[in-house]
mmCIF file with all atom_site columns, all heavy atoms in Angstrom:
data_model
loop_
_atom_site.group_PDB
_atom_site.id
_atom_site.type_symbol
_atom_site.label_atom_id
_atom_site.label_alt_id
_atom_site.label_comp_id
_atom_site.label_asym_id
_atom_site.label_entity_id
_atom_site.label_seq_id
_atom_site.pdbx_PDB_ins_code
_atom_site.Cartn_x
_atom_site.Cartn_y
_atom_site.Cartn_z
_atom_site.occupancy
_atom_site.B_iso_or_equiv
_atom_site.pdbx_formal_charge
_atom_site.auth_seq_id
_atom_site.auth_comp_id
_atom_site.auth_asym_id
_atom_site.auth_atom_id
_atom_site.pdbx_PDB_model_num
ATOM 1   N N   . GLY A 1 104 ? 68.333 -201.772 60.569 1.00 87.00 ? 125 GLY A N   1
ATOM 2   C CA  . GLY A 1 104 ? 69.580 -202.504 60.343 1.00 87.00 ? 125 GLY A CA  1
ATOM 3   C C   . GLY A 1 104 ? 69.604 -203.366 59.110 1.00 87.00 ? 125 GLY A C   1
ATOM 4   O O   . GLY A 1 104 ? 70.648 -203.916 58.756 1.00 87.00 ? 125 GLY A O   1
ATOM 5   N N   . CYS A 1 105 ? 68.468 -203.525 58.405 1.00 90.00 ? 126 CYS A N   1
ATOM 6   C CA  . CYS A 1 105 ? 68.441 -204.362 57.197 1.00 90.00 ? 126 CYS A CA  1
ATOM 7   C C   . CYS A 1 105 ? 68.992 -203.599 56.000 1.00 90.00 ? 126 CYS A C   1
ATOM 8   O O   . CYS A 1 105 ? 68.924 -202.376 55.929 1.00 90.00 ? 126 CYS A O   1
ATOM 9   C CB  . CYS A 1 105 ? 67.017 -204.813 56.884 1.00 90.00 ? 126 CYS A CB  1
ATOM 10  S SG  . CYS A 1 105 ? 66.467 -206.225 57.854 1.00 90.00 ? 126 CYS A SG  1
ATOM 11  N N   . THR A 1 106 ? 69.534 -204.347 55.064 1.00 89.00 ? 127 THR A N   1
ATOM 12  C CA  . THR A 1 106 ? 70.008 -203.768 53.814 1.00 89.00 ? 127 THR A CA  1
ATOM 13  C C   . THR A 1 106 ? 69.470 -204.597 52.657 1.00 89.00 ? 127 THR A C   1
ATOM 14  O O   . THR A 1 106 ? 69.015 -205.729 52.837 1.00 89.00 ? 127 THR A O   1
ATOM 15  C CB  . THR A 1 106 ? 71.545 -203.750 53.735 1.00 89.00 ? 127 THR A CB  1
ATOM 16  O OG1 . THR A 1 106 ? 72.041 -205.098 53.634 1.00 89.00 ? 127 THR A OG1 1
ATOM 17  C CG2 . THR A 1 106 ? 72.160 -203.078 54.952 1.00 89.00 ? 127 THR A CG2 1
ATOM 18  N N   . TYR A 1 107 ? 69.533 -204.012 51.461 1.00 92.00 ? 128 TYR A N   1
ATOM 19  C CA  . TYR A 1 107 ? 69.100 -204.727 50.255 1.00 92.00 ? 128 TYR A CA  1
ATOM 20  C C   . TYR A 1 107 ? 70.071 -204.391 49.135 1.00 92.00 ? 128 TYR A C   1
ATOM 21  O O   . TYR A 1 107 ? 70.392 -203.227 48.912 1.00 92.00 ? 128 TYR A O   1
ATOM 22  C CB  . TYR A 1 107 ? 67.679 -204.319 49.862 1.00 92.00 ? 128 TYR A CB  1
ATOM 23  C CG  . TYR A 1 107 ? 67.180 -205.025 48.626 1.00 92.00 ? 128 TYR A CG  1
ATOM 24  C CD1 . TYR A 1 107 ? 66.869 -206.383 48.665 1.00 92.00 ? 128 TYR A CD1 1
ATOM 25  C CD2 . TYR A 1 107 ? 67.043 -204.360 47.417 1.00 92.00 ? 128 TYR A CD2 1
ATOM 26  C CE1 . TYR A 1 107 ? 66.427 -207.053 47.531 1.00 92.00 ? 128 TYR A CE1 1
ATOM 27  C CE2 . TYR A 1 107 ? 66.592 -205.019 46.279 1.00 92.00 ? 128 TYR A CE2 1
ATOM 28  C CZ  . TYR A 1 107 ? 66.290 -206.361 46.341 1.00 92.00 ? 128 TYR A CZ  1
ATOM 29  O OH  . TYR A 1 107 ? 65.854 -207.023 45.219 1.00 92.00 ? 128 TYR A OH  1
ATOM 30  N N   . LYS A 1 108 ? 70.540 -205.419 48.442 1.00 88.00 ? 129 LYS A N   1
ATOM 31  C CA  . LYS A 1 108 ? 71.535 -205.226 47.392 1.00 88.00 ? 129 LYS A CA  1
ATOM 32  C C   . LYS A 1 108 ? 70.963 -205.632 46.041 1.00 88.00 ? 129 LYS A C   1
ATOM 33  O O   . LYS A 1 108 ? 70.355 -206.686 45.903 1.00 88.00 ? 129 LYS A O   1
ATOM 34  C CB  . LYS A 1 108 ? 72.782 -206.063 47.690 1.00 88.00 ? 129 LYS A CB  1
ATOM 35  C CG  . LYS A 1 108 ? 73.907 -205.848 46.674 1.00 88.00 ? 129 LYS A CG  1
ATOM 36  C CD  . LYS A 1 108 ? 75.092 -206.733 46.996 1.00 88.00 ? 129 LYS A CD  1
ATOM 37  C CE  . LYS A 1 108 ? 76.193 -206.557 45.963 1.00 88.00 ? 129 LYS A CE  1
ATOM 38  N NZ  . LYS A 1 108 ? 77.304 -207.497 46.166 1.00 88.00 ? 129 LYS A NZ  1
ATOM 39  N N   . TYR A 1 109 ? 71.156 -204.760 45.049 1.00 87.00 ? 130 TYR A N   1
ATOM 40  C CA  . TYR A 1 109 ? 70.807 -205.113 43.678 1.00 87.00 ? 130 TYR A CA  1
ATOM 41  C C   . TYR A 1 109 ? 71.769 -204.399 42.733 1.00 87.00 ? 130 TYR A C   1
ATOM 42  O O   . TYR A 1 109 ? 72.177 -203.272 42.971 1.00 87.00 ? 130 TYR A O   1
ATOM 43  C CB  . TYR A 1 109 ? 69.343 -204.744 43.362 1.00 87.00 ? 130 TYR A CB  1
ATOM 44  C CG  . TYR A 1 109 ? 69.097 -203.292 43.062 1.00 87.00 ? 130 TYR A CG  1
ATOM 45  C CD1 . TYR A 1 109 ? 68.880 -202.871 41.748 1.00 87.00 ? 130 TYR A CD1 1
ATOM 46  C CD2 . TYR A 1 109 ? 69.062 -202.327 44.066 1.00 87.00 ? 130 TYR A CD2 1
ATOM 47  C CE1 . TYR A 1 109 ? 68.638 -201.535 41.448 1.00 87.00 ? 130 TYR A CE1 1
ATOM 48  C CE2 . TYR A 1 109 ? 68.815 -201.002 43.778 1.00 87.00 ? 130 TYR A CE2 1
ATOM 49  C CZ  . TYR A 1 109 ? 68.607 -200.604 42.465 1.00 87.00 ? 130 TYR A CZ  1
ATOM 50  O OH  . TYR A 1 109 ? 68.378 -199.283 42.173 1.00 87.00 ? 130 TYR A OH  1
ATOM 51  N N   . LEU A 1 110 ? 72.150 -205.101 41.671 1.00 85.00 ? 131 LEU A N   1
ATOM 52  C CA  . LEU A 1 110 ? 73.032 -204.547 40.637 1.00 85.00 ? 131 LEU A CA  1
ATOM 53  C C   . LEU A 1 110 ? 74.250 -203.845 41.240 1.00 85.00 ? 131 LEU A C   1
ATOM 54  O O   . LEU A 1 110 ? 74.593 -202.709 40.913 1.00 85.00 ? 131 LEU A O   1
ATOM 55  C CB  . LEU A 1 110 ? 72.250 -203.587 39.737 1.00 85.00 ? 131 LEU A CB  1
ATOM 56  C CG  . LEU A 1 110 ? 71.098 -204.230 38.936 1.00 85.00 ? 131 LEU A CG  1
ATOM 57  C CD1 . LEU A 1 110 ? 70.346 -203.166 38.149 1.00 85.00 ? 131 LEU A CD1 1
ATOM 58  C CD2 . LEU A 1 110 ? 71.630 -205.302 38.001 1.00 85.00 ? 131 LEU A CD2 1
ATOM 59  N N   . ASN A 1 111 ? 74.924 -204.558 42.166 1.00 79.00 ? 132 ASN A N   1
ATOM 60  C CA  . ASN A 1 111 ? 76.162 -204.088 42.795 1.00 79.00 ? 132 ASN A CA  1
ATOM 61  C C   . ASN A 1 111 ? 75.990 -202.798 43.600 1.00 79.00 ? 132 ASN A C   1
ATOM 62  O O   . ASN A 1 111 ? 76.954 -202.057 43.801 1.00 79.00 ? 132 ASN A O   1
ATOM 63  C CB  . ASN A 1 111 ? 77.259 -203.897 41.740 1.00 79.00 ? 132 ASN A CB  1
ATOM 64  C CG  . ASN A 1 111 ? 77.698 -205.210 41.142 1.00 79.00 ? 132 ASN A CG  1
ATOM 65  O OD1 . ASN A 1 111 ? 78.213 -206.080 41.840 1.00 79.00 ? 132 ASN A OD1 1
ATOM 66  N ND2 . ASN A 1 111 ? 77.479 -205.381 39.855 1.00 79.00 ? 132 ASN A ND2 1
ATOM 67  N N   . THR A 1 112 ? 74.787 -202.541 44.050 1.00 84.00 ? 133 THR A N   1
ATOM 68  C CA  . THR A 1 112 ? 74.533 -201.375 44.892 1.00 84.00 ? 133 THR A CA  1
ATOM 69  C C   . THR A 1 112 ? 73.765 -201.825 46.131 1.00 84.00 ? 133 THR A C   1
ATOM 70  O O   . THR A 1 112 ? 72.755 -202.516 46.012 1.00 84.00 ? 133 THR A O   1
ATOM 71  C CB  . THR A 1 112 ? 73.715 -200.314 44.129 1.00 84.00 ? 133 THR A CB  1
ATOM 72  O OG1 . THR A 1 112 ? 74.488 -199.844 43.026 1.00 84.00 ? 133 THR A OG1 1
ATOM 73  C CG2 . THR A 1 112 ? 73.351 -199.149 45.024 1.00 84.00 ? 133 THR A CG2 1
ATOM 74  N N   . ARG A 1 113 ? 74.275 -201.459 47.298 1.00 85.00 ? 134 ARG A N   1
ATOM 75  C CA  . ARG A 1 113 ? 73.602 -201.837 48.545 1.00 85.00 ? 134 ARG A CA  1
ATOM 76  C C   . ARG A 1 113 ? 72.894 -200.621 49.137 1.00 85.00 ? 134 ARG A C   1
ATOM 77  O O   . ARG A 1 113 ? 73.489 -199.564 49.320 1.00 85.00 ? 134 ARG A O   1
ATOM 78  C CB  . ARG A 1 113 ? 74.599 -202.410 49.562 1.00 85.00 ? 134 ARG A CB  1
ATOM 79  C CG  . ARG A 1 113 ? 73.911 -202.953 50.821 1.00 85.00 ? 134 ARG A CG  1
ATOM 80  C CD  . ARG A 1 113 ? 74.873 -203.679 51.740 1.00 85.00 ? 134 ARG A CD  1
ATOM 81  N NE  . ARG A 1 113 ? 75.366 -204.909 51.161 1.00 85.00 ? 134 ARG A NE  1
ATOM 82  C CZ  . ARG A 1 113 ? 74.711 -206.056 51.132 1.00 85.00 ? 134 ARG A CZ  1
ATOM 83  N NH1 . ARG A 1 113 ? 73.485 -206.130 51.642 1.00 85.00 ? 134 ARG A NH1 1
ATOM 84  N NH2 . ARG A 1 113 ? 75.244 -207.132 50.598 1.00 85.00 ? 134 ARG A NH2 1
ATOM 85  N N   . LEU A 1 114 ? 71.613 -200.807 49.435 1.00 89.00 ? 135 LEU A N   1
ATOM 86  C CA  . LEU A 1 114 ? 70.795 -199.761 50.051 1.00 89.00 ? 135 LEU A CA  1
ATOM 87  C C   . LEU A 1 114 ? 70.575 -200.095 51.527 1.00 89.00 ? 135 LEU A C   1
ATOM 88  O O   . LEU A 1 114 ? 70.510 -201.263 51.907 1.00 89.00 ? 135 LEU A O   1
ATOM 89  C CB  . LEU A 1 114 ? 69.442 -199.671 49.346 1.00 89.00 ? 135 LEU A CB  1
ATOM 90  C CG  . LEU A 1 114 ? 69.457 -199.481 47.823 1.00 89.00 ? 135 LEU A CG  1
ATOM 91  C CD1 . LEU A 1 114 ? 68.024 -199.400 47.297 1.00 89.00 ? 135 LEU A CD1 1
ATOM 92  C CD2 . LEU A 1 114 ? 70.231 -198.245 47.427 1.00 89.00 ? 135 LEU A CD2 1
ATOM 93  N N   . PHE A 1 115 ? 70.449 -199.068 52.339 1.00 90.00 ? 136 PHE A N   1
ATOM 94  C CA  . PHE A 1 115 ? 70.220 -199.228 53.770 1.00 90.00 ? 136 PHE A CA  1
ATOM 95  C C   . PHE A 1 115 ? 68.825 -198.707 54.105 1.00 90.00 ? 136 PHE A C   1
ATOM 96  O O   . PHE A 1 115 ? 68.403 -197.668 53.597 1.00 90.00 ? 136 PHE A O   1
ATOM 97  C CB  . PHE A 1 115 ? 71.280 -198.468 54.579 1.00 90.00 ? 136 PHE A CB  1
ATOM 98  C CG  . PHE A 1 115 ? 72.662 -199.034 54.422 1.00 90.00 ? 136 PHE A CG  1
ATOM 99  C CD1 . PHE A 1 115 ? 73.417 -198.761 53.289 1.00 90.00 ? 136 PHE A CD1 1
ATOM 100 C CD2 . PHE A 1 115 ? 73.202 -199.857 55.398 1.00 90.00 ? 136 PHE A CD2 1
ATOM 101 C CE1 . PHE A 1 115 ? 74.687 -199.292 53.134 1.00 90.00 ? 136 PHE A CE1 1
ATOM 102 C CE2 . PHE A 1 115 ? 74.468 -200.398 55.251 1.00 90.00 ? 136 PHE A CE2 1
ATOM 103 C CZ  . PHE A 1 115 ? 75.222 -200.111 54.110 1.00 90.00 ? 136 PHE A CZ  1
ATOM 104 N N   . THR A 1 116 ? 68.138 -199.429 54.973 1.00 93.00 ? 137 THR A N   1
ATOM 105 C CA  . THR A 1 116 ? 66.752 -199.070 55.264 1.00 93.00 ? 137 THR A CA  1
ATOM 106 C C   . THR A 1 116 ? 66.650 -197.786 56.078 1.00 93.00 ? 137 THR A C   1
ATOM 107 O O   . THR A 1 116 ? 67.449 -197.543 56.981 1.00 93.00 ? 137 THR A O   1
ATOM 108 C CB  . THR A 1 116 ? 66.028 -200.175 56.062 1.00 93.00 ? 137 THR A CB  1
ATOM 109 O OG1 . THR A 1 116 ? 66.765 -200.450 57.263 1.00 93.00 ? 137 THR A OG1 1
ATOM 110 C CG2 . THR A 1 116 ? 65.838 -201.426 55.253 1.00 93.00 ? 137 THR A CG2 1
ATOM 111 N N   . VAL A 1 117 ? 65.655 -196.984 55.728 1.00 95.00 ? 138 VAL A N   1
ATOM 112 C CA  . VAL A 1 117 ? 65.101 -196.021 56.675 1.00 95.00 ? 138 VAL A CA  1
ATOM 113 C C   . VAL A 1 117 ? 64.140 -196.841 57.530 1.00 95.00 ? 138 VAL A C   1
ATOM 114 O O   . VAL A 1 117 ? 63.206 -197.447 56.999 1.00 95.00 ? 138 VAL A O   1
ATOM 115 C CB  . VAL A 1 117 ? 64.345 -194.895 55.950 1.00 95.00 ? 138 VAL A CB  1
ATOM 116 C CG1 . VAL A 1 117 ? 63.626 -194.010 56.955 1.00 95.00 ? 138 VAL A CG1 1
ATOM 117 C CG2 . VAL A 1 117 ? 65.300 -194.083 55.084 1.00 95.00 ? 138 VAL A CG2 1
ATOM 118 N N   . PRO A 1 118 ? 64.374 -196.938 58.838 1.00 95.00 ? 139 PRO A N   1
ATOM 119 C CA  . PRO A 1 118 ? 63.581 -197.894 59.641 1.00 95.00 ? 139 PRO A CA  1
ATOM 120 C C   . PRO A 1 118 ? 62.132 -197.475 59.803 1.00 95.00 ? 139 PRO A C   1
ATOM 121 O O   . PRO A 1 118 ? 61.824 -196.302 60.020 1.00 95.00 ? 139 PRO A O   1
ATOM 122 C CB  . PRO A 1 118 ? 64.313 -197.893 60.998 1.00 95.00 ? 139 PRO A CB  1
ATOM 123 C CG  . PRO A 1 118 ? 65.019 -196.576 61.051 1.00 95.00 ? 139 PRO A CG  1
ATOM 124 C CD  . PRO A 1 118 ? 65.376 -196.218 59.642 1.00 95.00 ? 139 PRO A CD  1
ATOM 125 N N   . TRP A 1 119 ? 61.247 -198.459 59.654 1.00 96.00 ? 140 TRP A N   1
ATOM 126 C CA  . TRP A 1 119 ? 59.865 -198.203 60.042 1.00 96.00 ? 140 TRP A CA  1
ATOM 127 C C   . TRP A 1 119 ? 59.726 -198.546 61.522 1.00 96.00 ? 140 TRP A C   1
ATOM 128 O O   . TRP A 1 119 ? 60.596 -199.217 62.112 1.00 96.00 ? 140 TRP A O   1
ATOM 129 C CB  . TRP A 1 119 ? 58.878 -198.970 59.167 1.00 96.00 ? 140 TRP A CB  1
ATOM 130 C CG  . TRP A 1 119 ? 59.112 -200.448 58.970 1.00 96.00 ? 140 TRP A CG  1
ATOM 131 C CD1 . TRP A 1 119 ? 59.700 -201.339 59.830 1.00 96.00 ? 140 TRP A CD1 1
ATOM 132 C CD2 . TRP A 1 119 ? 58.758 -201.204 57.805 1.00 96.00 ? 140 TRP A CD2 1
ATOM 133 N NE1 . TRP A 1 119 ? 59.726 -202.592 59.287 1.00 96.00 ? 140 TRP A NE1 1
ATOM 134 C CE2 . TRP A 1 119 ? 59.146 -202.546 58.052 1.00 96.00 ? 140 TRP A CE2 1
ATOM 135 C CE3 . TRP A 1 119 ? 58.119 -200.893 56.607 1.00 96.00 ? 140 TRP A CE3 1
ATOM 136 C CZ2 . TRP A 1 119 ? 58.939 -203.565 57.114 1.00 96.00 ? 140 TRP A CZ2 1
ATOM 137 C CZ3 . TRP A 1 119 ? 57.913 -201.908 55.686 1.00 96.00 ? 140 TRP A CZ3 1
ATOM 138 C CH2 . TRP A 1 119 ? 58.326 -203.218 55.935 1.00 96.00 ? 140 TRP A CH2 1
ATOM 139 N N   . PRO A 1 120 ? 58.670 -198.098 62.192 1.00 94.00 ? 141 PRO A N   1
ATOM 140 C CA  . PRO A 1 120 ? 58.570 -198.279 63.647 1.00 94.00 ? 141 PRO A CA  1
ATOM 141 C C   . PRO A 1 120 ? 58.442 -199.753 64.031 1.00 94.00 ? 141 PRO A C   1
ATOM 142 O O   . PRO A 1 120 ? 57.535 -200.444 63.562 1.00 94.00 ? 141 PRO A O   1
ATOM 143 C CB  . PRO A 1 120 ? 57.309 -197.487 64.019 1.00 94.00 ? 141 PRO A CB  1
ATOM 144 C CG  . PRO A 1 120 ? 56.543 -197.358 62.747 1.00 94.00 ? 141 PRO A CG  1
ATOM 145 C CD  . PRO A 1 120 ? 57.538 -197.331 61.643 1.00 94.00 ? 141 PRO A CD  1
ATOM 146 N N   . VAL A 1 121 ? 59.362 -200.209 64.851 1.00 92.00 ? 142 VAL A N   1
ATOM 147 C CA  . VAL A 1 121 ? 59.388 -201.596 65.317 1.00 92.00 ? 142 VAL A CA  1
ATOM 148 C C   . VAL A 1 121 ? 59.537 -201.587 66.829 1.00 92.00 ? 142 VAL A C   1
ATOM 149 O O   . VAL A 1 121 ? 60.302 -200.787 67.386 1.00 92.00 ? 142 VAL A O   1
ATOM 150 C CB  . VAL A 1 121 ? 60.565 -202.373 64.673 1.00 92.00 ? 142 VAL A CB  1
ATOM 151 C CG1 . VAL A 1 121 ? 60.673 -203.778 65.254 1.00 92.00 ? 142 VAL A CG1 1
ATOM 152 C CG2 . VAL A 1 121 ? 60.392 -202.443 63.162 1.00 92.00 ? 142 VAL A CG2 1
ATOM 153 N N   . GLU A 1 122 ? 58.813 -202.469 67.492 1.00 90.00 ? 143 GLU A N   1
ATOM 154 C CA  . GLU A 1 122 ? 58.868 -202.547 68.954 1.00 90.00 ? 143 GLU A CA  1
ATOM 155 C C   . GLU A 1 122 ? 60.292 -202.841 69.416 1.00 90.00 ? 143 GLU A C   1
ATOM 156 O O   . GLU A 1 122 ? 60.987 -203.692 68.865 1.00 90.00 ? 143 GLU A O   1
ATOM 157 C CB  . GLU A 1 122 ? 57.919 -203.650 69.447 1.00 90.00 ? 143 GLU A CB  1
ATOM 158 C CG  . GLU A 1 122 ? 57.783 -203.697 70.962 1.00 90.00 ? 143 GLU A CG  1
ATOM 159 C CD  . GLU A 1 122 ? 56.785 -204.742 71.430 1.00 90.00 ? 143 GLU A CD  1
ATOM 160 O OE1 . GLU A 1 122 ? 56.069 -205.311 70.563 1.00 90.00 ? 143 GLU A OE1 1
ATOM 161 O OE2 . GLU A 1 122 ? 56.716 -204.986 72.648 1.00 90.00 ? 143 GLU A OE2 1
ATOM 162 N N   . GLY A 1 123 ? 60.731 -202.109 70.418 1.00 90.00 ? 144 GLY A N   1
ATOM 163 C CA  . GLY A 1 123 ? 62.073 -202.313 70.953 1.00 90.00 ? 144 GLY A CA  1
ATOM 164 C C   . GLY A 1 123 ? 63.109 -201.351 70.395 1.00 90.00 ? 144 GLY A C   1
ATOM 165 O O   . GLY A 1 123 ? 64.258 -201.344 70.841 1.00 90.00 ? 144 GLY A O   1
ATOM 166 N N   . TYR A 1 124 ? 62.717 -200.542 69.409 1.00 90.00 ? 145 TYR A N   1
ATOM 167 C CA  . TYR A 1 124 ? 63.633 -199.564 68.815 1.00 90.00 ? 145 TYR A CA  1
ATOM 168 C C   . TYR A 1 124 ? 63.075 -198.161 69.000 1.00 90.00 ? 145 TYR A C   1
ATOM 169 O O   . TYR A 1 124 ? 61.886 -197.910 68.782 1.00 90.00 ? 145 TYR A O   1
ATOM 170 C CB  . TYR A 1 124 ? 63.822 -199.819 67.317 1.00 90.00 ? 145 TYR A CB  1
ATOM 171 C CG  . TYR A 1 124 ? 64.644 -201.043 67.004 1.00 90.00 ? 145 TYR A CG  1
ATOM 172 C CD1 . TYR A 1 124 ? 64.045 -202.299 66.915 1.00 90.00 ? 145 TYR A CD1 1
ATOM 173 C CD2 . TYR A 1 124 ? 66.018 -200.948 66.787 1.00 90.00 ? 145 TYR A CD2 1
ATOM 174 C CE1 . TYR A 1 124 ? 64.788 -203.428 66.620 1.00 90.00 ? 145 TYR A CE1 1
ATOM 175 C CE2 . TYR A 1 124 ? 66.771 -202.070 66.487 1.00 90.00 ? 145 TYR A CE2 1
ATOM 176 C CZ  . TYR A 1 124 ? 66.151 -203.309 66.402 1.00 90.00 ? 145 TYR A CZ  1
ATOM 177 O OH  . TYR A 1 124 ? 66.893 -204.417 66.108 1.00 90.00 ? 145 TYR A OH  1
ATOM 178 N N   . GLU A 1 125 ? 63.940 -197.251 69.402 1.00 91.00 ? 146 GLU A N   1
ATOM 179 C CA  . GLU A 1 125 ? 63.563 -195.839 69.481 1.00 91.00 ? 146 GLU A CA  1
ATOM 180 C C   . GLU A 1 125 ? 64.109 -195.147 68.243 1.00 91.00 ? 146 GLU A C   1
ATOM 181 O O   . GLU A 1 125 ? 65.330 -195.020 68.066 1.00 91.00 ? 146 GLU A O   1
ATOM 182 C CB  . GLU A 1 125 ? 64.140 -195.197 70.745 1.00 91.00 ? 146 GLU A CB  1
ATOM 183 C CG  . GLU A 1 125 ? 63.704 -193.757 70.921 1.00 91.00 ? 146 GLU A CG  1
ATOM 184 C CD  . GLU A 1 125 ? 64.231 -193.147 72.208 1.00 91.00 ? 146 GLU A CD  1
ATOM 185 O OE1 . GLU A 1 125 ? 64.669 -193.919 73.089 1.00 91.00 ? 146 GLU A OE1 1
ATOM 186 O OE2 . GLU A 1 125 ? 64.215 -191.910 72.325 1.00 91.00 ? 146 GLU A OE2 1
ATOM 187 N N   . ILE A 1 126 ? 63.222 -194.719 67.366 1.00 92.00 ? 147 ILE A N   1
ATOM 188 C CA  . ILE A 1 126 ? 63.623 -194.155 66.078 1.00 92.00 ? 147 ILE A CA  1
ATOM 189 C C   . ILE A 1 126 ? 63.238 -192.687 66.034 1.00 92.00 ? 147 ILE A C   1
ATOM 190 O O   . ILE A 1 126 ? 62.087 -192.322 66.284 1.00 92.00 ? 147 ILE A O   1
ATOM 191 C CB  . ILE A 1 126 ? 62.951 -194.921 64.915 1.00 92.00 ? 147 ILE A CB  1
ATOM 192 C CG1 . ILE A 1 126 ? 63.341 -196.398 64.984 1.00 92.00 ? 147 ILE A CG1 1
ATOM 193 C CG2 . ILE A 1 126 ? 63.350 -194.331 63.571 1.00 92.00 ? 147 ILE A CG2 1
ATOM 194 C CD1 . ILE A 1 126 ? 62.490 -197.303 64.135 1.00 92.00 ? 147 ILE A CD1 1
#
Side-chain angles (χ1 to χ4, degrees):
C126 279
T127 68
Y128 180 71
K129 183 182 178 186
Y130 79 105
L131 297 177
N132 293 298
T133 296
R134 186 173 292 280
L135 306 181
F136 294 78
T137 56
V138 173
W140 50 30
V142 175
E143 187 177 351
Y145 288 87
E146 184 177 344
I147 301 165

